[in-house]
Amino acid sequence: MRVVTAAEMRDIDRTAIEQYGIPGVVLMENAGIKVVEAVCEQLGGCVKGRVVTIFVGKGNNGGDGLVVARHLLNKGADVRVLMVADPEQLVGDAALNLNIWHKMGQKVYPVHQPNGINMVKVSLMSTDLVVDAMYGTGFRGAVSEKIGRIIDLINASGLPVIAVDIPSGLEADTGQIKGPCIRANVTVTFGLPKLGMVLEAGVAVTGEMVVADISLPKPLLAGRKMNLLQRNRVRQWIPRRRLAAHKGNFGRVLVVAGSVGMGGAALLTATACLRSGAGLVTLAMPEQLHDGIVGAAPEVMTLPLPQENGVLTAKALGALVDKLKFMDVLAVGPGLTRRDEAVDLVHQLLPHVNIPVVIDADGLNAVAKDLAVLERVAGPVVLTPHPGEMARLLGVTVDEVQQNRISLTRQCAEKWACTVLLKGARTLVATPQGEIYINPTGNPGMATAGSGDVLTGVIAALMAQGLPPAEAAAAGAYLHGMAGDYGALQLGMTGLTAGDILENLPRCIKEVEDY
């Protein structure tokens, strides 16, 4: 599903009005009706006799709220409209709807005045539901002190809250919350989701997101600059298996991973490849790990390699280059260590790669020593950093990465001509063409050792089955997060392990295939 910024949504609305001839007041009317439907559902299907308090601002969001007020009144609800701005400030379609409200013999209560807080307290004491129509997608920064107090009262009331288009106090483009913000049970957003609602902080205050059709022409809603991943899209990507297929049809993956003390990372990556559908997986690791790996995962083929103190070195290069000739995908990095010997091996190996490659963990740490090595990789590259690894790649702080996740991920993908997957709450996947995928699956329990190693294996397996790098990374993130969600549902987040994610992968793939 496409996701838009505030400016993009304004352009869509303007085009609908100016080029298609749909009056703005019609769009406002349709928006209000969709919110009314959500109110009715939240109140059990009947609003007659129920008390609804609507907080209205001065912009078009407030106009939407006034449409909601009118329709609820007609349905028999007891509607109170509390204005957080001077009613004289309303213009255009919002002013038109305010005028209609007055002609229906109804009042608005200006709570921006000195006694406004008491008015809010009294109203909330006898209200069944709150509608938030204070601020729309144009909001930036922090609300005023008085509006902040009103928002705090609404949040503390325990009443169900429905936000109109976006929760007041949330920035539509960044998902940042810089002061008090409405915590909605349901947000009815119009046309398309707004970017800030699907990012980390925004998700927590948006509640259930209802994307409402307000009669915007479908061609205006098309586009793929930013996308919220959905199950149906991932289902379309997952390759179907022919009855006459054999293991060679599903790709050969070479995993270069592991060191003494970190053999588990290698094992998780290789096993995740198999669990995600790769036909054949070969694990290249220090020879000292060989016997333990064979005993733990007999389905994984092995390539024991020369080592020094349990770490792969450049002495392994020849064997790896020979093996690459028979492989479809390379995954490199989990558990290699940051020692100079491993770094040298990665830098010498990558220029020989002419197949798709996933670079993760210590592979990324090696690349961070000299990013120019990426230019010498002949095959398509997927980089899968967590925020700390991204910070090392860019030479910035983790805070800088987290404050600019979308822009930095997109810039890196374009500059390095790679698919870049930035892990974290709402994992992002950026393509070299500037497209962004936002992953809605996953949970904090997945912040555990080995989780990223499993993801590397999933992505490598999907590429081995023919998915392009961006689609493999996006689908891999979705399936990986979904498996983590199932694990958390069964076991809780606290004790979730990478092995639990791995165990749930086949179930999740099947469920998506059957969707």
Side-chain angles (χ1 to χ4, degrees):
M1 179 188 294
R2 183 183 175 191
V3 177
V4 291
T5 63
E8 289 170 334
M9 197 67 230
R10 282 195 299 273
D11 286 343
I12 290 171
D13 288 339
R14 184 169 56 250
T15 303
I17 294 167
E18 295 176 359
Q19 295 185 20
Y20 285 82
I22 303 174
V25 71
V26 171
L27 297 177
M28 185 173 286
E29 187 75 11
N30 292 343
I33 289 171
K34 292 296 183 180
V35 176
V36 170
E37 291 175 2
V39 171
C40 292
E41 183 176 348
Q42 192 73 20
L43 292 178
C46 180
V47 298
K48 188 173 183 179
R50 308 298 293 274
V51 181
V52 179
T53 298
I54 304 176
F55 289 85
V56 171
K58 65 181 180 180
N60 282 341
N61 197 255
D64 297 335
L66 289 163
V67 173
V68 174
R70 170 163 41 90
H71 284 280
L72 288 176
L73 184 69
N74 287 341
K75 288 179 177 291
D78 179 354
V79 183
R80 304 165 186 171
V81 175
L82 274 57
M83 289 284 302
V84 299
D86 185 341
E88 297 297 322
Q89 293 181 300
L90 270 69
V91 298
D93 296 333
L96 185 151
N97 276 292
L98 177 61
N99 189 40
I100 295 172
W101 183 248
H102 284 316
K103 286 183 176 181
M104 293 174 71
Q106 302 302 310
K107 295 181 180 180
V108 297
Y109 300 90
V111 295
H112 67 291
Q113 295 178 347
N115 66 337
I117 294 297
N118 288 332
M119 197 180 301
V120 170
K121 290 178 180 178
V122 171
S123 183
L124 292 177
M125 289 174 62
S126 57
T127 292
D128 294 306
L129 181 142
V130 171
V131 175
D132 162 34
M134 290 182 281
Y135 294 99
T137 58
F139 173 81
R140 300 288 185 278
V143 300
S144 68
E145 181 182 358
K146 185 156 191 176
I147 302 300
R149 291 176 65 192
I150 292 172
I151 288 175
D152 287 341
L153 286 170
I154 294 170
N155 288 339
S157 71
L159 296 167
V161 178
I162 293 182
V164 176
D165 206 18
I166 190 168
S168 294
L170 173 65
E171 291 190 348
D173 289 352
T174 67
Q176 293 183 18
I177 298 171
K178 298 175 180 176
C181 180
I182 286 290
R183 293 196 302 270
N185 298 81
V186 178
T187 297
V188 182
T189 196
F190 308 129
L192 293 165
K194 313 313 179 284
L195 177 59
M197 297 167 60
V198 301
L199 298 178
E200 182 179 359
V203 172
V205 297
T206 296
E208 177 190 355
M209 182 173 66
V210 176
V211 181
D213 177 4
I214 60 170
S215 78
L216 291 166
K218 278 192 174 181
L220 297 182
L221 304 180
R224 294 180 60 183
K225 188 174 181 182
M226 288 188 293
N227 309 271
L228 180 66
L229 284 169
Q230 293 181 296
R231 189 171 298 189
N232 187 53
R233 172 70 70 86
V234 176
R235 182 187 63 80
Q236 294 170 3
W237 287 337
I238 294 177
R240 301 289 170 165
R241 299 200 166 207
R242 295 180 292 106
L243 287 175
H246 57 82
K247 59 181 179 287
N249 296 133
F250 306 115
R252 296 168 171 83
V253 179
L254 177 63
V255 177
V256 181
S259 60
V260 170
M262 287 192 283
L267 186 59
L268 285 167
T269 301
T271 308
C273 279
L274 289 172
R275 285 289 192 179
S276 303
L280 296 160
V281 178
T282 299
L283 175 56
M285 73 296 187
E287 55 191 358
Q288 189 174 338
L289 301 181
H290 179 264
D291 292 346
I293 294 292
V294 169
E299 305 93 342
V300 175
M301 294 184 290
T302 57
L303 179 63
L305 295 171
Q307 63 180 45
E308 288 183 11
N309 299 318
V311 176
L312 289 177
T313 72
K315 293 178 182 178
L317 182 64
L320 288 172
V321 171
D322 287 342
K323 195 67 176 177
L324 280 174
K325 298 172 185 175
F326 306 98
M327 294 290 145
D328 300 304
V329 173
L330 170 67
V332 60
L336 283 181
T337 79
R338 296 192 208 176
R339 285 176 48 176
D340 290 342
E341 301 95 309
V343 172
D344 290 343
L345 174 61
V346 172
H347 277 267
Q348 292 186 48
L349 175 63
L350 289 179
H352 292 278
V353 176
N354 58 8
I355 57 176
V357 54
V358 186
I359 306 175
D360 182 37
D362 289 324
L364 294 169
N365 292 324
V367 167
K369 300 284 188 182
D370 181 9
L371 286 166
V373 72
L374 293 174
E375 300 173 6
R376 299 193 287 274
V377 182
V381 177
V382 177
L383 306 179
T384 60
H386 58 56
E389 291 161 345
M390 182 67 108
R392 283 191 285 275
L393 287 166
L394 294 174
V396 300
T397 67
V398 173
D399 283 345
E400 288 176 280
V401 171
Q402 293 295 70
Q403 290 297 317
N404 303 280
R405 284 175 61 85
I406 286 184
S407 60
L408 284 180
T409 306
R410 176 180 278 144
Q411 289 167 19
C412 290
E414 293 174 352
K415 181 178 180 180
W416 301 334
C418 300
T419 296
V420 178
L421 181 152
L422 179 59
K423 299 170 187 172
R426 289 304 196 249
T427 288
L428 303 175
V429 176
T431 74
Q433 294 75 36
E435 189 172 1
I436 291 281
Y437 293 99
I438 303 166
N439 179 44
T441 64
N443 63 82
M446 298 175 70
T448 185
S451 177
D453 305 322
V454 174
L455 176 59
T456 297
V458 178
I459 296 170
L462 292 173
M463 285 201 293
Q465 293 169 81
L467 269 69
E471 294 177 1
Y478 186 94
L479 293 168
H480 178 257
M482 185 178 175
D485 288 341
Y486 272 123
L489 186 64
Q490 297 159 356
L491 305 169
M493 295 184 195
T494 303
L496 193 68
T497 68
D500 300 321
I501 300 170
L502 185 61
E503 184 176 339
N504 279 289
L505 274 173
R507 171 188 177 181
C508 293
I509 294 170
K510 180 181 185 302
E511 187 168 313
V512 170
E513 287 176 332
D514 294 343
Y515 181 69

